[in-house]
Amino acid sequence: VGSGNSWAPRPFGCSSAAAPQPLPSPFGRSAGPRCPPRCAGPMEAAQEQEPEGVETERKLLSRHLVTAVYRGIEKGREPMLMIFPPKPAKDWAKFEIEEVLEYTKEGEYGDEQLKPGESFAFVPVEASSEVQEKFASLTSAGEGQKVRLGWNHDYVTTVFTADDGKTSETKSPERPVTLLEPI
């Protein structure tokens, strides 16, 4: 304080170059800095859509083919993630495994084989258009429909490029549905 330094801390969520203005206080002293009326900071940026990345690598870890029974739509637990702003719950299509037809584990970290009675779920709106169409006809028949269901467990590398040209890379698992057909 009083060192002649023009740097001043900004409140959380304010990345504006404009200097924060002190808040009025009923006690005659400043209540601390505040963000200017319109601030394009990380809070607003977090509420925008996520940037699109470019997939650079996809490794197959395991492949599954089962017969299963459609058990309906369940809300996901995405709102429980410790992130801000909270994500809305996704609609997950849930299937109960009846029989395992094929299973291969290609990588060390592939999913284990599911047993009869266990379940598998996926988000239909995130599936391929072909799977979405088949799922729409499946839901019209209602719960209890028996299906042949196939999916892969992949490890996907995605590269993102920021506006300033810097790149970042993410590696995460994906379980795309490869087959969905009524039996």
Side-chain angles (χ1 to χ4, degrees):
V1 180
S3 64
N5 188 351
S6 63
W7 180 86
R10 295 187 188 119
F12 179 75
C14 177
S15 64
S16 174
Q21 304 297 314
L23 291 172
S25 170
F27 303 108
R29 54 192 147 110
S30 171
R34 70 177 171 96
C35 202
R38 185 70 183 126
C39 174
M43 301 290 276
E44 287 81 8
Q47 294 173 353
E48 295 175 6
Q49 286 187 345
E50 294 182 11
E52 290 291 321
V54 177
E55 183 181 311
T56 59
E57 185 178 12
R58 181 175 290 264
K59 291 181 184 176
L60 177 65
L61 301 178
S62 62
R63 178 172 287 139
H64 307 258
L65 180 62
V66 300
T67 57
V69 177
Y70 173 60
R71 294 296 180 205
I73 297 288
E74 289 186 3
K75 288 289 186 187
R77 298 183 301 187
E78 293 80 11
M80 296 174 68
L81 293 171
M82 299 298 293
I83 58 173
F84 185 81
K87 293 190 178 262
K90 295 179 181 179
D91 290 328
W92 291 77
K94 187 173 180 179
F95 295 84
E96 183 181 331
I97 308 300
E98 284 196 334
E99 180 185 2
V100 176
L101 303 174
E102 288 180 33
Y103 167 78
T104 56
K105 186 172 179 179
E106 304 286 334
E108 179 182 354
Y109 302 105
D111 286 342
E112 295 300 319
Q113 178 176 335
L114 292 178
K115 297 172 181 58
E118 294 182 323
S119 63
F120 175 77
F122 71 95
V123 179
V125 297
E126 295 176 357
S128 68
S129 57
E130 180 183 341
V131 170
Q132 286 182 32
E133 289 172 14
K134 290 182 178 181
F135 181 74
S137 64
L138 175 72
T139 55
S140 65
E143 294 181 26
Q145 178 77 24
K146 195 169 181 177
V147 298
R148 183 171 290 116
L149 178 64
W151 71 92
N152 293 340
H153 175 200
D154 297 333
Y155 194 60
V156 181
T157 302
T158 307
V159 175
F160 296 88
T161 305
D163 293 336
D164 63 0
K166 293 182 181 177
T167 60
S168 62
E169 181 178 274
T170 63
K171 295 183 179 206
S172 60
E174 286 186 10
R175 291 171 180 82
V177 174
T178 56
L179 178 70
L180 178 64
E181 58 187 25
I183 297 179

